[in-house]
Amino acid sequence: SQQGEEDPQALSIQEGENATMNCSYKTSINNLQWYRQNSGRGLVHLILIRSNEREKHSGRLRVTLDTSKKSSSLLITASRAADTASYFCATDTGRRALTFGSGTRLQVQP
Amino acid sequence: KAGVTQTPRYLIKTRGQQVTLSCSPISGHRSVSWYQQTPGQGLQFLFEYFSETQRNKGNFPGRFSGRQFSNSRSEMNVSTLELGDSALYLCASSQGAGYGYTFGSGTRLTVV
């Protein structure tokens, strides 16, 4: 079963705009990870944030984590057409089994 | 550094048959996990292996099994295939706890 939900389910923006995706989860976690998937291919790991961290940056990506609200957000700044993909959050409770959200489909219009 | 390699990429099987999927992790990664992705259920955890031992198993019937070899390569097997087993099967490897996973491109299984 899926740990949580992602919001929105789909997002369409213009190149250069920022894209924000939200993820909610249900149980205590060790870390939360974000992945990208292009057209039903394999998942690409984007960023991992530990439960004792509140914010993390990697290039154009910014992730926040609020453990009191059991939520996380992924911000992609200055989006490019190549960012078009599905984005998933995944929680790791320490049992070595990721639980994935339902995903956000991002479409970046050139 | 080579990525996670899954073979075959595509597979078509008939109901009732069995299938074996293969995964070669990144060199040095001893943890290998398997996930099933379907449009209806999304991404679901199947099992995780470390040093040839299954450490965790998801909520799947016993028809789904796996193993890991001494070189960390892993296989998963699905017996008595059902139409609902049609899915993208993803393998992932990791350095260990607290690290992200590197996924393979997946094996797309179609059961007819």
Side-chain angles (χ1 to χ4, degrees):
Chain A
S1 62
Q2 292 173 327
Q3 157 100 264
E5 296 299 318
E6 290 183 58
D7 168 53
Q9 289 188 330
L11 181 61
S12 182
I13 59 174
Q14 297 294 126
E15 258 191 333
E17 293 181 338
N18 295 342
T20 300
M21 290 159 254
N22 303 296
C23 166
S24 61
Y25 58 92
K26 299 175 183 173
T27 63
S28 296
I29 60 172
N30 280 14
N31 64 69
L32 185 145
Q33 303 174 32
W34 284 89
Y35 289 84
R36 183 185 74 226
Q37 185 178 40
N38 292 83
S39 302
R41 301 289 297 273
L43 297 158
V44 175
H45 179 255
L46 296 175
I47 197 164
L48 179 152
I49 186 166
R50 293 178 170 79
S51 61
N52 61 353
E53 297 175 312
R54 292 297 166 257
E55 188 171 311
K56 203 161 184 180
H57 297 253
S58 177
R60 293 184 297 113
L61 306 179
R62 172 179 170 253
V63 168
T64 61
L65 178 64
D66 187 334
T67 53
S68 66
K69 295 181 179 178
K70 291 186 169 57
S71 68
S72 175
S73 67
L74 170 68
L75 168 67
I76 304 174
T77 60
S79 295
R80 306 166 182 168
D83 294 328
T84 294
S86 291
Y87 292 80
F88 296 89
C89 68
T91 53
D92 183 351
T93 61
R95 295 179 62 242
R96 302 303 297 157
L98 292 179
T99 303
F100 285 87
S102 49
T104 293
R105 292 187 308 278
L106 173 66
Q107 177 76 41
V108 182
Q109 308 284 353
Chain B
K1 196 173 187 180
V4 176
T5 303
Q6 290 188 247
T7 57
R9 287 293 310 279
Y10 302 92
L11 209 47
I12 300 175
K13 289 287 188 178
T14 304
R15 271 181 302 175
Q17 288 186 313
Q18 74 163 15
V19 67
T20 299
L21 311 182
S22 179
C23 172
S24 294
I26 287 177
S27 177
H29 286 191
R30 293 161 64 189
S31 170
V32 176
S33 303
W34 290 88
Y35 291 81
Q36 180 198 63
Q37 186 177 27
T38 60
Q41 298 298 316
L43 283 152
Q44 296 189 90
F45 170 75
L46 280 158
F47 21 68
E48 190 255 354
Y49 288 88
F50 184 87
S51 293
E52 301 179 66
T53 300
Q54 185 182 92
R55 295 198 297 188
N56 201 353
K57 189 177 193 299
N59 188 26
F60 279 83
R63 300 184 297 106
F64 291 81
S65 63
R67 60 178 175 168
Q68 186 181 33
F69 302 95
S70 58
N71 62 358
S72 293
R73 191 177 69 84
S74 177
E75 290 181 347
M76 67 163 282
N77 183 277
V78 188
S79 62
T80 319
L81 284 165
E82 300 177 359
L83 295 179
D85 297 333
S86 295
L88 180 66
Y89 290 89
L90 294 163
C91 170
S93 72
S94 172
Q95 290 179 262
Y99 290 89
Y101 291 76
T102 302
F103 281 80
S105 296
T107 293
R108 185 164 296 282
L109 171 66
T110 302
V111 182
V112 298

